[in-house]
Amino acid sequence: MVKRIKLRTLFIGGCITLFFLVLLGRVFYIQILEGDYWQKEAATQRAHTSTIKAVRGVISDRNGSILASDVPAYTVVVSPELIHQNGLVDEVVAKLHELLGKPVGELQKLVEAKDDKGKYLKNREIRNEGWKIDQDLADKVLAFRDELEDKHDIQETGIGLVREQKRYYPKDTLAAHILGWTDRDGNAMAGLEAFYDERLKGTNGLLNYQSDGKGYKLPNAEETYKPVVNGDNLKLTIDSTIQYYIEEAMKKAVAQYKPTSMTVIAADPNTMEILGMANMPTFNPNKYWDEDQAGFYNHAIKSTYEPGSTFKIVTLSGAVEEKLFNPDATFKSGSIKIKGVRAPLHDIKRAGWGEISFLEGVKRSSNVAFVKLGYEMLGKEKLVQYITDFGFGQKTGIDMPGESKGFITPKYESEYATLAYGHGKVTVTPLQQLVAVATIANGGKLMTPHVLKEVTNPNTGDKTVTKPEVVRQVISEETAKKTGEYLEQVVADQVIGTGRHAYIEGYRVAGKTGTAIKVEGKGYVNSKVLVSFIGYAPVDNPKIAVIVIIDEPQEEVGGGTAAAPVFKEIVSQSLQYMGVPKLAVQPDKASKPVTKTTAPALRSTPELTGKTTKEARELLLDQGFDFEVVGNGASVVSQYPKAGTMLISGQRIYLLSQLADGKSVPDLRGESLRDALEVLTLLKVGIGVEGEGYVSEQNVVTKDGKTRVSLKMKPLNEYGEDIPVADSVTDDPEAEGGT
């Protein structure tokens, strides 16, 4: 018995000894052999890192009005576990649906959410409807939570808010395309937010410390602190008031003309600080997720187009600089033949205005005048050089993302000729056009446009100011002044000036209209036009330059009828806001270069019936009449208008010769309905008319020996603007387009 007890005691003692030996070995292994590893693991578990979020920089306008800033935001959180414990499922789903607008089915899934073990989850964020909501909505959620607590006499309802930060744009759509936006995670997506993201976002701070098992900071423990660096604050060149004038004027034009898009840019031509820039359609950066994607596109710097007659400012400047422009010299308007090209180039009024001065050609926006100035006088090499010097075909260098540069790629003679009036192988951006007219306004200096005026580092108080940058002197100061005076007459001449609807009482305004037919595929589509106006004021001391572009207006209008009034509204308001005084005497009456055109001289039609065709030709050529002979007979049997009729300059005389058989129908495009009918009546042909105004198209059909002429009429642009007729003028049979 005793022996058995001794054996049992020895066995138990041996086991205990063995256990202690194993334990000591394990301790030795952990503390000695793997001591370094476990010390590191312990330090890792005790160590904690706390991130201190940097504040994104404020963006303000030139006067300090805030355009973008970080503000408090709140995310709604629900606890499925508590909501079910308190039996609040139906009430919570119904009320949060009402407050946040989140679908009932999705809310139901959130409050029913369970983990892998089938237990209700403790916290779920309500995205996106309850993510980073504003203070007002957060207050309503809190009020609902308090209501539940009182109603059910509970302390925990399962509804909470997490305080965060979000980007806020207090003026909603104002300057949206300039500012861009950040998404809800704070990532910069477009505009200046993206372009200056590195400056704006700053650097987050860090705090590293050690804690005990319960998470409390250990006393005397080492800690590492990296201070937060808040983002820079940006002050822009934008003036919120001028931006407001721009957007309000655009809203009216969009409502009236219903274009596919519209763009306006305003700048100080002396510094090329952008004062305002807007596109329509637009968007609200506070609700970017609800907006139509078309509204995000910044046409002002990204879209390229054939400029049309606003581009004539470059041709005019070059001709003045080379001393080739004589405002009193005359030319024959209407059409011009380019060597080696089958069809001539035309003015909008195909019959022209007769023999007119080059200054009148500028006022009337005569294509022929500018072909002579740019293609014939300057020559194609110098013309392209001036276009390049004015900054076309290259980026302006504005501090915004996504800028396009357009192209200048003429190859054939006709393309160089049409280049002189902004058609054919040339595309530009609205911003490039504005920079070009600002070059004329500021004395001939091509400058880099910019929207950043000043940067302030909130951590140090240091400021950096953007200085105006001159790229090159394009034309002399004297040339710029003269060109401005000629462009002033385009606006001030209230009889024939194509830009007369941009005239502002009490201010001297220089400008140019433009109407360009758009290209689709390989041809021009006459029903789709882009109309524009570009100019600056006051002429003698420019304070603001503006471009207005209306793309595909639904009404048949030109740059003078649609875009010029928008320019007038914006500039007149802006000049008064800027404190620019009005002139005591009207500029068109006080300034010598700005004159009203007198009524055109009238001449009596000579008697031509009975004369030989040769005699009639010689007489009309000698007296400077525009005429056309119909038929191939030897003598004139009738004429229109009849002898003794008083004709204005440029009105055509039609001669019917002996052998006219009705098959020889003259080109009547550009003629009034009355004149066209008189001529066709003389020819004894059938007549069909569609529309009103002036002949834009004619179609001659002969069937069973009878000739019928169908005329398509369009109202001639009220201002005689250069809506180009899409003739095929290229000398390359496979070339695209034509003007």
Side-chain angles (χ1 to χ4, degrees), residues 308-309 312 346-350 353 364-365 367 421 423 498 513-518 524-531 553 555-561 696 714-727 739:
S309 285
K312 291 174 180 175
H346 293 278
D347 285 320
I348 173 59
K349 184 179 180 184
R350 286 174 166 267
W353 304 273
R364 292 187 182 275
S365 196
N367 292 338
Y421 57 87
H423 284 278
T498 58
T513 58
T515 308
I517 290 180
K518 296 181 70 175
Y524 288 87
V525 181
N526 288 317
S527 62
K528 295 185 177 182
V529 298
L530 183 145
V531 301
E555 294 183 24
E556 192 168 311
V557 290
T561 47
S696 63
K714 281 189 178 181
L716 182 65
N717 187 288
E718 180 183 352
Y719 304 107
E721 289 176 319
D722 56 322
I723 302 177
V725 179
D727 289 330
T739 302

Side-chain angles (χ1 to χ4, degrees), residues 332-334 347 349-354 626 650-652 669-671:
K332 181 66 179 300
S333 63
D347 285 320
K349 184 179 180 184
R350 286 174 166 267
W353 304 273
D626 187 16
Q651 190 170 350
R652 187 179 300 182
R669 288 179 295 180
E671 297 293 346

Side-chain angles (χ1 to χ4, degrees), residues 76 80 86 110 125 177 204 210 213 270 478 662 715:
V76 182
N86 294 309
L110 282 172
E125 289 185 350
H177 291 95
N204 291 336
Q210 292 182 326
N270 302 297
E478 181 183 3

Side-chain angles (χ1 to χ4, degrees), residues 96-226:
L96 291 184
H97 166 68
E98 177 188 332
L99 292 175
L100 304 178
K102 191 171 185 67
V104 170
E106 294 180 18
L107 283 169
Q108 197 77 38
K109 288 181 180 179
L110 282 172
V111 298
E112 297 285 351
K114 297 180 180 180
D115 61 18
D116 296 338
K117 298 179 181 179
K119 294 183 178 180
Y120 287 110
L121 295 174
K122 293 185 177 181
N123 286 297
R124 299 287 286 172
E125 289 185 350
I126 299 180
R127 297 203 179 193
N128 286 321
E129 295 83 354
W131 186 24
K132 293 189 177 181
I133 61 176
D134 59 26
Q135 184 70 57
D136 289 342
L137 189 52
D139 289 342
K140 292 178 182 178
V141 173
L142 290 176
F144 171 56
R145 185 185 68 181
D146 295 342
E147 179 186 328
L148 287 177
E149 289 176 354
D150 293 339
K151 180 180 178 180
H152 296 279
D153 192 22
I154 54 178
Q155 294 183 343
E156 294 291 339
T157 62
I159 299 174
L161 293 174
V162 177
R163 183 185 171 97
E164 298 180 88
Q165 293 286 111
K166 75 172 182 178
R167 200 63 166 168
Y168 178 61
Y169 305 89
K171 300 184 185 298
D172 293 329
T173 61
L174 193 84
H177 291 95
I178 298 171
L179 298 172
W181 76 93
T182 65
D183 65 17
R184 288 183 173 183
D185 288 321
N187 300 311
M189 303 303 294
L192 295 184
E193 292 278 24
F195 194 85
Y196 287 115
D197 186 44
E198 289 301 316
R199 285 187 168 185
L200 284 165
K201 69 182 181 182
T203 304
N204 291 336
L206 294 174
L207 176 61
N208 294 322
Y209 63 93
Q210 292 182 326
S211 67
D212 60 17
K214 294 183 178 181
Y216 294 112
K217 183 180 176 182
L218 295 173
N220 303 319
E222 291 186 5
E223 63 179 30
T224 304
Y225 174 64
K226 179 184 177 183

Side-chain angles (χ1 to χ4, degrees), residues 228-414:
V228 65
V229 178
N230 291 324
D232 290 342
N233 296 327
L234 308 185
K235 178 179 284 190
L236 307 185
T237 61
I238 303 304
D239 190 305
S240 292
T241 301
I242 295 176
Q243 182 75 25
Y244 175 78
Y245 293 153
I246 289 172
E247 295 189 18
E248 287 301 300
M250 291 175 72
K251 288 176 185 176
K252 296 175 188 175
V254 168
Q256 181 176 356
Y257 300 114
K258 298 177 176 59
T260 57
S261 68
M262 185 174 177
T263 296
V264 175
I265 317 173
D268 179 345
N270 302 297
T271 62
M272 276 317 296
E273 291 183 345
I274 302 299
L275 301 174
M277 177 188 291
N279 302 278
M280 289 194 178
T282 186
F283 67 98
N284 185 343
N286 290 313
K287 301 176 181 179
Y288 65 88
W289 55 87
D290 289 335
E291 301 292 335
D292 184 348
Q293 294 296 313
F296 294 145
Y297 198 79
N298 190 353
H299 294 281
I301 64 172
K302 294 182 178 181
S303 289
T304 59
Y305 60 98
E306 285 187 26
S309 285
T310 51
F311 198 70
K312 291 174 180 175
I313 62 173
V314 177
T315 305
L316 178 61
S317 299
V320 174
E321 177 75 5
E322 299 293 333
K323 297 180 170 49
L324 299 172
F325 183 77
N326 180 352
D328 299 320
T330 61
F331 69 98
K332 181 66 179 300
S333 63
S335 63
I336 185 171
K337 196 79 168 61
I338 305 301
K339 185 178 179 181
V341 181
R342 293 187 298 272
L345 299 176
H346 293 278
D347 285 320
I348 173 59
K349 184 179 180 184
R350 286 174 166 267
W353 304 273
E355 191 81 14
I356 61 174
S357 71
F358 275 94
L359 181 55
E360 184 175 342
V362 172
K363 295 180 190 180
R364 292 187 182 275
S365 196
S366 165
N367 292 338
V368 174
F370 283 90
V371 171
K372 284 185 168 294
L373 290 171
Y375 177 70
E376 292 185 355
M377 296 184 190
L378 269 177
K380 58 186 182 183
E381 288 80 11
K382 277 194 174 180
L383 175 62
V384 172
Q385 185 60 55
Y386 274 106
I387 292 171
T388 303
D389 287 348
F390 266 95
F392 295 102
Q394 55 206 284
K395 294 182 180 181
T396 66
I398 191 170
D399 46 345
M400 294 184 70
E403 183 183 11
S404 300
K405 65 178 183 177
F407 62 76
I408 311 157
T409 57
K411 182 178 180 182
Y412 301 99
E413 295 303 308
S414 62

